[in-house]
């Protein structure tokens, strides 16, 4: 595997190598913490798995929290068009897909998702920083790759295809989730339709495919590391989501997996 890496990625400087390791380790640790019961405190997991504090922690509504989480990353992507206006096609694709991803998430928060819970500011801060810093480093790593010889194996076109599949599937399943509730309904229901009959978090699966697509377009070590770290986190989050549904709904089908049909 290691001899294959120089053929797939632009050679990263030491700083990008170090940040890539930090990215995988930090996101992987958060995913493992989810499985161990220490949850990021938002949505259905608000106040679950945490010892109740003497004083109530600062919270915002889930809608406000997710807007705050996605907006800096979107602005970083949008700003990159002005900061790096004359780069090559690969860089343009990286900027465009990354910016579009977070713009879509903002629009979904505003017009698609239906929220009932809150979000602790203590969880909001690391989520926001993770999205923002990862967007910045994906863009910066691509900037550092300008002028270097192209990787021997060009993956940007398969990456575009995967990104389109990922972002389309993610949106489709978010729409299915939003239709589960009426405007004033705050109760959780077992989702149906699409891949929900096979896995409880198909929206996570397609989000992973979208970030895999971005990493293949970029072909930098950091972009790939962010994809790996995001995958580890969403694996943990989907695992505890399935466990939560099993605990809440007696008729929840046991053959529905967490993230990957028939596997995980």
């Amino acid at each position: 595997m290691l001899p294959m890496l120089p053929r797939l990625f632009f050679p990263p400087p030491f700083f990008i190598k170090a940040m890539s390791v930090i990215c995988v380790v930090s996101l992987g640790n958060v995913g493992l913490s989810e499985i161990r019961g220490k949850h990021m405190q938002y949505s259905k997991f608000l106040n679950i798995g945490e010892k109740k504090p003497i004083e109530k922690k600062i919270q915002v509504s889930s809608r406000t929290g997710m807007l705050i989480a996605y907006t800096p990353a979107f602005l970083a992507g949008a700003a990159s068009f002005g900061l790096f206006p004359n780069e090559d096609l690969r860089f343009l694709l990286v900027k465009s897909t990354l910016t579009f991803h977070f713009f879509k998430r903002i629009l979904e928060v505003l017009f698609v998702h239906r929220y009932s819970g809150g979000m602790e500011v203590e969880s909001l801060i690391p989520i926001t920083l993770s999205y923002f810093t990862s967007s910045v480093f994906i863009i910066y790593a691509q900037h550092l790759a300008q002028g270097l010889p192209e990787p021997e194996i060009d993956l940007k076109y398969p990456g575009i295809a995967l990104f389109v599949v990922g972002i389309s599937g993610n949106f489709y399943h978010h729409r299915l989730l939003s239709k589960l509730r009426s405007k004033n309904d705050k109760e959780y229901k077992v989702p149906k339709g699409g891949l929900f009959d096979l896995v409880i978090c198909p929206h996570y699966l397609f989000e992973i495919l979208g970030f895999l697509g971005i990493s293949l377009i970029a072909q930098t070590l950091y972009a790939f590391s962010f994809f790996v770290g995001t995958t580890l986190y969403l694996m943990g989050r989907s695992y505890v989501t399935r466990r939560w549904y099993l605990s809440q709904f007696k008729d929840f089908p046991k053959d529905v997996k967490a993230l990957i049909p028939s596997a995980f």
Side-chain angles (χ1 to χ4, degrees):
M1 179 63 181
L2 289 178
M4 187 73 171
L5 294 181
R7 301 179 64 193
L8 296 178
F9 300 127
F10 291 99
F14 175 78
F15 176 67
I16 295 298
K17 289 180 181 177
M19 292 307 300
S20 298
V21 172
I22 292 172
C23 178
V24 172
V25 171
S26 59
L27 287 172
N29 182 63
V30 176
L32 186 60
S33 295
E34 291 281 343
I35 294 174
R36 290 173 172 172
K38 184 175 176 58
H39 306 300
M40 299 296 282
Q41 297 291 294
Y42 66 94
S43 186
K44 63 177 69 67
F45 296 111
L46 184 67
N47 299 324
I48 293 180
E50 293 285 324
K51 294 180 179 179
K52 292 185 178 180
I54 297 175
E55 296 183 4
K56 188 176 181 180
K57 293 182 180 180
I58 301 174
Q59 296 181 11
V60 296
S61 70
S62 289
R63 187 181 303 277
T64 299
M66 299 318 293
L67 278 177
I68 293 173
Y70 297 134
T71 299
F74 163 70
L75 292 177
S80 68
F81 287 92
L83 293 172
F84 309 109
N86 300 312
E87 308 293 1
D88 62 16
L89 174 61
R90 188 187 297 275
F91 199 170
L92 177 62
L93 289 171
V94 170
K95 292 185 293 186
S96 299
T97 51
L98 194 63
T99 304
F100 183 75
H101 170 82
F102 288 108
F103 182 59
K104 165 190 166 288
R105 297 309 300 266
I106 290 172
L107 292 180
E108 287 177 335
V109 171
L110 293 172
F111 303 112
V112 177
H113 295 309
R114 299 185 186 277
Y115 296 100
S116 60
M119 187 174 191
E120 284 188 358
V121 172
E122 187 177 324
S123 291
L124 174 59
I125 292 173
I127 292 173
T128 304
L129 288 175
S130 175
Y131 283 139
F132 175 71
T133 56
S134 295
S135 296
V136 168
F137 280 115
I138 288 173
I139 293 167
Y140 182 58
Q142 207 65 45
H143 171 66
L144 294 179
Q146 296 300 287
L148 296 176
E150 285 280 318
E152 293 182 38
I153 303 173
D154 187 357
L155 297 174
K156 63 176 176 288
Y157 295 112
I160 294 171
L162 268 177
F163 175 77
V164 171
V165 170
I167 205 161
S168 301
N170 179 261
F171 174 74
Y172 173 71
H173 288 91
H174 280 167
R175 283 284 294 157
L176 291 180
L177 284 173
S178 72
K179 291 178 180 179
L180 286 175
R181 300 183 190 176
S182 61
K183 187 174 181 180
N184 297 316
D185 188 5
K186 296 183 181 297
E187 294 295 325
Y188 282 96
K189 300 179 176 68
V190 177
K192 300 290 184 182
L195 291 185
F196 280 116
D197 296 329
L198 298 176
V199 292
I200 198 61
C201 293
H203 47 307
Y204 287 172
L205 175 60
F206 282 103
E207 183 167 355
I208 288 170
L209 290 179
F211 278 121
L212 175 58
I214 293 175
S215 73
L216 295 184
I217 295 170
Q219 289 191 244
T220 61
L221 182 62
Y222 187 85
F224 183 73
S225 297
F226 182 63
F227 152 70
V228 172
T230 299
T231 300
L232 293 174
Y233 168 64
L234 292 180
M235 286 178 70
R237 191 75 178 181
S238 64
Y239 177 83
V240 297
T241 297
R242 181 179 182 274
R243 190 167 62 191
W244 184 87
Y245 273 99
L246 284 168
S247 69
Q248 296 296 314
F249 301 96
K250 294 182 179 179
D251 57 346
F252 183 84
K254 302 296 191 296
D255 58 334
V256 172
K257 301 298 183 180
L259 184 68
I260 303 172
S262 303
F264 176 80

